[in-house]
Amino acid sequence: MTGGKRELAALSPEERQAVILEKTNASGRVLAAELAQEFGVSEDSIRRDLRDLSDAGLVQRFHGGAARLVTPALDFQRRETLHMEEKHSIGRAAAAVIPDGATLLVDTSTTVVRFVRALPATLSVRIITAAVDVAAAALDHPNAEVIMLGGRLGRLTRSATGIAAIDAVRALRVDYCVLGTCGVAQDLTLRADDYEDALLKAAMIRAANKTLLLATADKLGQAATYEVAPVSAVSTLFTGTKDTAILDAVREAGVDVEIV
């Protein structure tokens, strides 16, 4: 047994569980057989650890291992009340870079709704969206042409989803995609809680010359189930975070960062 494995084997069950939880949150999932080998203990011991972590509401167990517990997605109205001042600041900062005459492909997000409301009234823009709340906000803009994409409406995203919306986006070429996100994971991938929403976001990025990502501080380092795209697909990130480590990593990926 190597020195490192001897040290792991000497951990108490509570200490071992803390390490397992850290590994699960970092990688997304762990396997009991691999953990048993790594810690130099029996699989039964690891299964007890995973059961204790699951009972405490810290991981989600599956046969042979455990997965990171994904926080249930809040409904749109509840999200509207969170981080309101930061969302206003992000929306204003992003709206300030939009030139007159631009065509925008706008995602569904409470922060993106703030962006639409912050667009100067004198600005002439075309807003294309699958999101009902974005379309409603855009209709209040006196100089915005509003185009609503069709499809089945998702209750979680309050947006059209499915192949009809994705095909419509694939036929477009626009100046800007303005994107919200459920999370930017530690591996610097944009992620979403809804599978069809993830596909639509990915299509929107591909349809745009530039992509603006609007993300409150709580979204950076946050995992969600479905991958959308690498953060390098983004032109500019607008955020309120002061986490220099993740911001430096985002900049190294070639993304401009605007801290509000």
Side-chain angles (χ1 to χ4, degrees):
M1 183 180 292
T2 65
K5 186 170 287 189
R6 280 197 297 270
E7 292 177 3
L8 291 173
L11 295 177
S12 68
E14 292 77 13
E15 292 171 328
R16 188 169 62 240
Q17 288 170 21
V19 176
I20 291 172
L21 178 60
E22 183 178 348
K23 288 178 177 292
T24 306
N25 287 333
S27 65
R29 66 198 298 268
V30 291
L31 299 176
E34 293 178 358
L35 289 174
Q37 183 176 9
E38 181 177 355
F39 283 92
V41 298
S42 68
E43 285 193 42
D44 283 342
S45 295
I46 295 296
R47 281 194 286 270
R48 283 193 294 271
D49 291 336
L50 297 180
R51 184 176 62 247
D52 289 346
L53 290 169
S54 177
D55 290 345
L58 298 174
V59 301
Q60 180 178 346
R61 289 179 69 197
F62 59 81
H63 182 69
R68 178 172 49 219
L69 192 67
V70 177
T71 303
L74 299 174
D75 62 54
F76 197 93
Q77 290 85 353
R78 172 62 176 144
R79 297 200 307 272
E80 279 263 288
T81 67
L82 301 176
H83 313 291
M84 293 178 65
E85 186 54 42
E86 184 184 3
K87 289 176 181 178
H88 282 305
S89 298
I90 290 172
R92 287 193 297 267
V97 307
I98 302 300
D100 192 61
T103 296
L104 315 176
L105 190 51
V106 183
D107 186 31
T108 178
S109 156
T110 56
T111 309
V112 169
V113 170
R114 300 305 200 289
F115 158 82
V116 172
R117 291 173 180 161
L119 289 169
T122 56
L123 201 66
S124 178
V125 290
R126 178 184 294 116
I127 294 175
I128 306 172
T129 187
V132 293
D133 297 277
V134 169
L139 285 172
D140 291 332
H141 190 287
N143 288 305
E145 177 188 354
V146 184
I147 299 173
M148 184 80 185
L149 301 176
R152 180 177 57 83
L153 289 175
R155 294 187 183 278
L156 173 64
T157 62
R158 294 174 62 84
S159 174
T161 59
I163 193 63
I166 292 171
D167 280 347
V169 169
R170 285 173 177 164
L172 297 173
R173 193 69 202 171
V174 302
D175 299 308
Y176 292 91
C177 167
V178 184
L179 202 68
T181 181
C182 298
V184 180
Q186 292 289 348
D187 64 357
L188 298 184
T189 56
L190 310 184
R191 308 194 71 84
D193 289 317
D194 181 88
Y195 175 68
E196 291 188 340
D197 184 44
L199 294 179
L200 184 60
K201 289 179 190 298
M204 291 172 66
I205 292 171
R206 290 191 292 269
N209 294 331
K210 293 183 178 181
T211 294
L212 309 182
L213 179 65
L214 281 52
T216 50
D218 62 304
K219 299 298 178 65
L220 299 184
Q222 176 68 41
T225 307
Y226 302 104
E227 181 174 346
V228 174
V231 78
S232 58
V234 171
S235 306
T236 306
L237 166 66
F238 294 84
T239 185
T241 190
K242 302 300 189 292
D243 184 340
T244 56
I246 195 164
L247 291 179
D248 287 346
V250 170
R251 289 188 182 99
E252 287 175 8
V255 180
D256 292 333
V257 175
E258 294 289 339
I259 303 171
V260 302

